[in-house]
Amino acid sequence: MFKTLVTMSLAAVLFGSATTGAMAQDAKPVKIGWAAWSDAEFVTKLAAKLIKDELGQEVELVQTDVAPLYQGVSRGDLDAMMMAWLPQTHADYFAKVKDKVETLGTVYDGAKLGWVVPKYVPEDAIASIEDLKKDDVKEQLGNQVLGIDPGAGLTRLSEQAIKDYGLDDYKLQISSEAGMLTSVDRAMRSEKWFVATSWSPHWMFGKYELRYIEDPNKSLGEAEHVDILARQGFKEDNPKVAEFLSRMKLPISDLEAAMFNAQETSYDAAVEKYITDHPDQVKAWLGGNEG
């Protein structure tokens, strides 16, 4: 039905494509974009499930990279995105579109970026990014930092951190979230030293024993909030979905637990479990709970 709309890297209508007679009367599907970060995948699929099941509207999910997400919302090709990391991580992207989008709300607070090492690496060896300049640490780490995709704000900030700390001997291994996690898993199994770019919330902290190292220069920023952005006019065109998204906010601890569950089961199963386990929270998002 919607094949002609699939113009980006991946688009899918979640949880089935059948529509009821009532749904058929609704406007075209709500198009929500997301990039392949595990936190974004969970909150986006959670929102999509509730919009379809509780608000009676179809949803089309469009997976792409971060830069096209911002462009898509600013142009009106996408209705919304739920992963605007601000004020620093996505500062460059947001600055280009801020007058062409509307902020609906903050989906979670207390997000952070940083570099992590395994807990089995002694803190007297690596406590701070500054410690990466030690010759013995360089040797243990193979002069590399495990990174993610080239378009990520974390990649841009990590490249800046390498300059700020004078880590000229190091190479940022640009890959993807999946590639970084594969390298982390392999290293953890053999208790090999590594340093990797990371962020919270992330399910990896539930699976592996990791710790952030200090960033005294604040090159990687401080606490962030993750906002929901919508195209201009979306609130007027679809007030019930816009109001729902504006109320949707998750405690970061709940989100990390759900993300870890998604890795152990599936995102669809984790979404179902979250809805079952948080009825009052979901009711408040849907506007059925005053106060």
Side-chain angles (χ1 to χ4, degrees), residues 258-269:
M259 290 160 62
F260 183 56
N261 182 37
Q263 295 301 312
E264 297 294 298
T265 57
S266 70
Y267 280 93
D268 289 358

Side-chain angles (χ1 to χ4, degrees), residues 25-40:
Q25 300 304 312
D26 282 335
K28 59 186 179 181
V30 177
K31 294 181 72 172
I32 304 177
W34 62 287
W37 287 24
S38 48
D39 53 320

Side-chain angles (χ1 to χ4, degrees), residues 15-271:
F15 309 109
S17 59
T19 59
T20 65
M23 287 180 184
Q25 300 304 312
D26 282 335
K28 59 186 179 181
V30 177
K31 294 181 72 172
I32 304 177
W34 62 287
W37 287 24
S38 48
D39 53 320
E41 182 166 5
F42 181 79
V43 296
T44 303
K45 290 184 174 179
L46 175 60
K49 175 72 169 169
L50 291 169
I51 291 168
K52 180 171 181 179
D53 290 358
E54 302 297 334
L55 301 181
Q57 284 200 240
E58 289 295 330
V59 179
E60 182 180 348
L61 297 189
V62 180
Q63 182 188 333
T64 186
D65 292 330
V66 174
L69 276 183
Y70 280 87
Q71 294 164 6
V73 177
S74 70
R75 290 194 305 253
D77 298 332
L78 297 172
D79 291 311
M81 60 179 282
M82 303 182 66
M83 54 173 298
W85 280 61
L86 298 168
Q88 187 165 351
T89 307
H90 289 171
D92 289 354
Y93 298 123
F94 185 69
K96 294 174 183 176
V97 304
K98 63 181 180 181
D99 297 327
K100 301 176 184 177
V101 301
E102 298 179 350
T103 301
L104 297 183
T106 296
V107 69
Y108 50 91
D109 287 309
K112 70 172 288 184
L113 303 178
W115 290 0
V116 298
V117 297
K119 286 188 177 177
Y120 54 71
V121 173
E123 286 199 46
D124 58 1
I126 306 178
S128 162
I129 297 177
E130 291 277 8
D131 291 326
L132 302 188
K133 290 187 279 192
K134 299 174 182 175
D135 289 337
D136 56 335
V137 171
K138 286 182 192 178
E139 185 176 349
Q140 287 276 12
L141 297 176
N143 294 83
Q144 69 174 359
V145 177
L146 303 177
I148 57 170
D149 45 293
L154 176 55
T155 300
R156 173 178 59 83
L157 294 172
S158 293
E159 288 171 338
Q160 186 60 48
I162 286 174
K163 293 177 184 176
D164 291 348
Y165 287 95
L167 302 176
D168 302 333
D169 295 338
Y170 279 81
K171 180 177 181 182
L172 179 64
Q173 294 292 119
I174 294 175
S175 175
S176 64
E177 179 187 3
M180 178 270 289
L181 290 166
T182 297
S183 297
V184 166
D185 188 73
R186 187 182 303 118
M188 293 291 295
R189 290 174 188 275
S190 59
E191 293 201 0
K192 182 180 176 182
W193 286 27
F194 66 85
V195 60
T197 64
S198 188
W199 62 93
S200 298
H202 200 291
W203 58 263
M204 67 193 295
F205 294 98
K207 183 171 184 178
Y208 307 115
E209 292 194 347
L210 304 167
R211 60 180 173 84
Y212 282 102
I213 59 177
E214 293 176 13
D215 173 19
N217 292 342
K218 306 297 183 189
S219 299
L220 300 169
E222 299 184 75
E224 304 258 287
H225 50 87
V226 178
D227 291 351
I228 302 172
L229 303 183
R231 62 171 174 83
Q232 287 184 338
F234 180 66
K235 288 193 287 189
E236 292 73 28
D237 294 343
N238 206 326
K240 64 179 181 179
V241 173
E243 288 166 11
F244 159 71
L245 291 174
S246 72
R247 287 188 290 260
M248 189 175 170
K249 189 165 187 175
L250 290 72
I252 205 163
S253 57
D254 288 355
L255 176 54
E256 284 197 318
M259 290 160 62
F260 183 56
N261 182 37
Q263 295 301 312
E264 297 294 298
T265 57
S266 70
Y267 280 93
D268 289 358
V271 163

